Amino acid sequence: MRKPRCPAGVSPAAATLAGAGSPAVRGPAVRGPEQLTFSPWDYGVFALMLLISTGIGLFHGLAKGGQKTSEDFFTGGRRMSALPVGLSLSASFMSAIQVLGVPAESYRYGAKFLWMCLGQLLNTLLTAHLFLPVFYRLGLTSTYEYLELRFSRSVRLCGTLQYVVATMLYTGIVIYAPALILNQVTGLDIWASLLSTGVICTFYTTIGGMKAVIWTDVFQVFVMLSGFIAIIIRGVLLVGGPARVLDIATNGSRVNFGDFNPDPRSRYTVWTFLVGGTLVWLSMYGVNQAQVQRYVACRSEREAKMALLVNQAGLWCIVASAVACGLVMFALYQHCDPLLAGHISAPDQYMPYLVLDIFEMFPGVPGLFLACAYSGTLSTASTSINAMAAVTLEDLIKPRLPALSPRGLTLVSKGLSLIYGTSCITVAALASLLGGGVLQGSFTVMGVVSGPLLGAFVLGMFVPRCSTAGVLGGLAAGFALSFWVAVGGSLYPPSAATMGVLPSSTALCPRHNLTGTNGTVPGPPGARA
């Protein structure tokens, strides 16, 4: 870890504000940079979050005799109400990768990230009126059962296998990535964080089933929001108030909602969120097993649609909070970007660096952020484990063992959850051995698979003349095209300027500490990077 060098007695953020003439510096001397790590109080807060999550899983696994059928295990007996299901849908979107990444994206690309909310709204309307009624009225547990009803068993198996492989890779990386990022910034032990979250998530998912997943998600979404709100409040107080934050963000080109650039290489524009964002969300909420499985768990179709609206409100709160954290971060580091200054080595490290900087005199509060990040990991991983177990039972085991008793199916369901949880931990462990390249590869696999599968469901529902041969050909062509685009984008990435990375300053950074990260060679003090 590169150690920051700051004027004695003030943190990096405070030094920046002091140099800019801000009245925000309050004055307590800070600890040396070698102490940029979590305290025992922080680990205590993190452990408390894990303990509560485990308790919720145990309660739903043991209350009223536990799950008596596989339907109880995978859909909560289809008796869930809209509020917890909607909040669960919101929580599973926000993995730790998003908790760490969205504020960093807002810092680097500006508040236009809020256009994502428009894509989410369009997705909610399309899902509620086009996809949800089909899945709910058919009473399906596995979304891929629809592909057999509409086309053939071969199409169903093709969809199931693609989903399981892609989701297992993605979930393993969801467990591993935050452990890696926090280790690089704070020295947090990778194996301790990986195993603690992976084992506890697998445990309560195996014991409690869908009810445990949903109710732990409800708890975890509030933990995530609490972490974001604590950062926003502390940052705003340091800067000098909300108006000051907005003024600095505006002067730094971070309030940029009017970006209609048609260049597809630009990372975030109104068009990428409106078109690309809507399709991405539709592949997640319209036909993705992990999401569909929860809204069909509602007690009525009306409750399921209400759950989507609750999810929409939750997503808006989460995304808005994350973007606000990014703007606050820019206001604090406007004159000394930690990445350009060499304090951190990658954009994903902005958030943990910020938290340990501004809360260094508040033991336990950085632990709330740690709990916030790993709440995202637990919610995403538990949902994925339950979903993979559901499609495996419904699509691969039930058709071959139709005589299994309800109790037998329940035991098989729990066994599958245990197997998939262990598999995801194994993927995470392998990722730690294979290095950083596997991260981007796993995300590419998930993206490559999601688009063609969405196309298969759209063909089935809205193109009556489409046949099995047509949908299999479409899946193959879509997979090949998506893979070609993904590989091309990885081999020939656009420049930072083309993607729309906004300028950051190193004006008040000590000259000897500048590293020219990402190919930017800082000039004299006062120059723009």
Side-chain angles (χ1 to χ4, degrees):
M1 180 182 69
R2 298 182 179 91
K3 296 179 180 180
R5 300 176 176 89
C6 304
V10 291
S11 70
T16 300
L17 292 170
S22 168
V25 180
R26 302 291 185 248
V30 300
R31 300 178 289 259
E34 69 279 357
Q35 293 176 318
L36 190 65
T37 187
F38 292 110
S39 71
W41 288 100
D42 301 324
Y43 289 115
V45 173
F46 176 51
L48 179 62
M49 183 275 292
L50 294 178
L51 184 63
I52 293 174
S53 298
T54 304
I56 293 172
L58 279 173
F59 173 78
H60 288 287
L62 302 176
K64 300 179 181 179
Q67 299 85 16
K68 297 180 174 61
T69 66
S70 59
E71 185 172 88
D72 286 339
F73 188 81
F74 289 127
T75 65
R78 303 186 192 268
R79 296 186 299 272
M80 301 299 297
S81 59
L83 183 61
V85 171
L87 291 175
S88 174
L89 289 169
S90 300
S92 60
F93 149 72
M94 206 68 180
S95 73
I97 297 170
Q98 279 79 36
V99 170
L100 299 171
V102 173
E105 296 294 276
S106 174
Y107 177 95
R108 302 180 76 214
Y109 295 94
K112 60 184 175 182
F113 203 90
L114 285 173
W115 280 112
M116 176 185 285
C117 296
L118 179 59
Q120 292 168 343
L121 177 61
L122 293 175
N123 156 71
T124 295
L125 296 174
L126 290 171
T127 298
H129 289 91
L130 299 179
F131 295 98
L132 184 151
V134 174
F135 291 121
Y136 195 90
R137 292 170 192 177
L138 288 173
L140 304 179
T141 298
S142 167
T143 56
Y144 304 103
E145 187 177 350
Y146 171 82
L147 294 179
E148 180 174 4
L149 295 174
R150 173 63 179 82
F151 297 110
S152 66
R153 179 156 181 79
S154 60
V155 178
R156 177 182 184 177
L157 292 177
C158 182
T160 298
L161 293 175
Q162 286 187 20
Y163 173 78
V164 168
V165 171
T167 302
M168 191 183 303
L169 286 173
Y170 176 76
T171 306
I173 299 305
V174 162
I175 295 172
Y176 166 66
L180 173 65
I181 294 166
L182 290 169
N183 169 265
Q184 291 170 338
V185 180
T186 70
L188 179 69
D189 186 83
I190 288 182
W191 287 98
S193 56
L194 186 156
L195 291 174
S196 62
T197 52
V199 169
I200 286 175
C201 176
T202 301
F203 174 75
Y204 75 70
T205 304
T206 301
I207 295 296
M210 177 56 75
K211 284 186 178 180
V213 170
I214 288 176
W215 284 107
T216 50
D217 283 352
V218 171
F219 163 67
Q220 288 155 8
V221 78
F222 285 109
V223 173
M224 283 188 274
L225 285 172
S226 298
F228 282 139
I229 291 170
I231 293 167
I232 293 168
I233 291 173
R234 174 64 176 162
V236 166
L237 290 174
L238 281 173
V239 174
R244 176 71 174 152
V245 172
L246 190 59
D247 183 55
I248 293 172
T250 302
N251 291 337
S253 303
R254 262 60 182 182
V255 182
N256 52 354
F257 296 107
D259 187 353
F260 292 89
N261 182 4
D263 188 342
R265 297 172 301 170
S266 183
R267 191 175 179 98
Y268 300 121
T269 67
V270 174
W271 307 118
T272 58
F273 285 119
L274 191 64
V275 180
T278 301
L279 291 175
V280 167
W281 286 103
L282 205 56
S283 70
M284 289 176 61
Y285 282 88
V287 301
N288 185 280
Q289 171 67 28
Q291 316 301 333
V292 174
Q293 187 178 334
R294 276 175 292 176
Y295 61 65
V296 300
C298 291
R299 60 173 66 104
S300 69
E301 186 176 327
R302 181 177 178 277
E303 288 274 335
K305 291 182 177 180
M306 287 296 296
L308 286 177
L309 293 178
V310 171
N311 162 66
Q312 184 65 61
L315 286 176
W316 280 354
C317 291
I318 291 171
V319 172
S321 299
V323 170
C325 285
L327 297 182
V328 166
M329 186 163 22
F330 177 74
L332 289 166
Y333 297 132
Q334 58 173 319
H335 296 298
C336 187
D337 184 295
L339 182 62
L340 296 179
H343 300 170
I344 57 177
S345 59
D348 285 341
Q349 298 172 9
Y350 275 117
M351 274 294 275
Y353 180 85
L354 170 73
V355 168
L356 291 173
D357 184 7
I358 66 176
F359 288 115
E360 57 191 346
M361 301 302 292
F362 298 88
V365 181
L368 179 61
F369 168 74
L370 188 62
C372 168
Y374 278 102
S375 288
T377 292
L378 292 174
S379 62
T380 302
S382 61
T383 298
S384 298
I385 291 168
N386 191 265
M388 288 188 289
V391 297
T392 302
L393 182 74
E394 295 292 327
D395 299 340
L396 302 178
I397 294 177
K398 268 190 176 181
R400 288 170 173 74
L401 299 172
L404 270 178
S405 66
R407 178 171 175 76
L409 289 172
T410 304
L411 292 175
V412 171
S413 302
K414 294 189 175 188
L416 288 170
S417 294
L418 181 61
I419 290 169
Y420 279 123
T422 305
S423 300
C424 290
I425 295 172
T426 303
V427 170
L430 289 174
S432 69
L433 300 176
L434 295 175
V438 74
L439 278 90
Q440 185 58 48
S442 68
F443 294 136
T444 298
V445 169
M446 193 67 178
V448 165
V449 167
S450 298
L453 284 178
L454 173 63
F457 283 100
V458 170
L459 281 174
M461 293 180 187
F462 307 112
V463 184
R465 299 187 64 178
C466 183
S467 64
T468 296
V471 75
L472 287 174
L475 278 171
F479 185 86
L481 181 61
S482 298
F483 186 75
W484 175 66
V485 171
V487 171
S490 299
L491 294 178
Y492 307 102
S495 66
T498 301
M499 288 193 296
V501 177
L502 298 171
S504 298
S505 175
T506 55
L508 297 183
C509 295
R511 174 68 182 172
H512 60 274
N513 198 44
L514 299 178
T515 62
T517 304
N518 292 344
T520 302
V521 181
R528 302 291 289 180

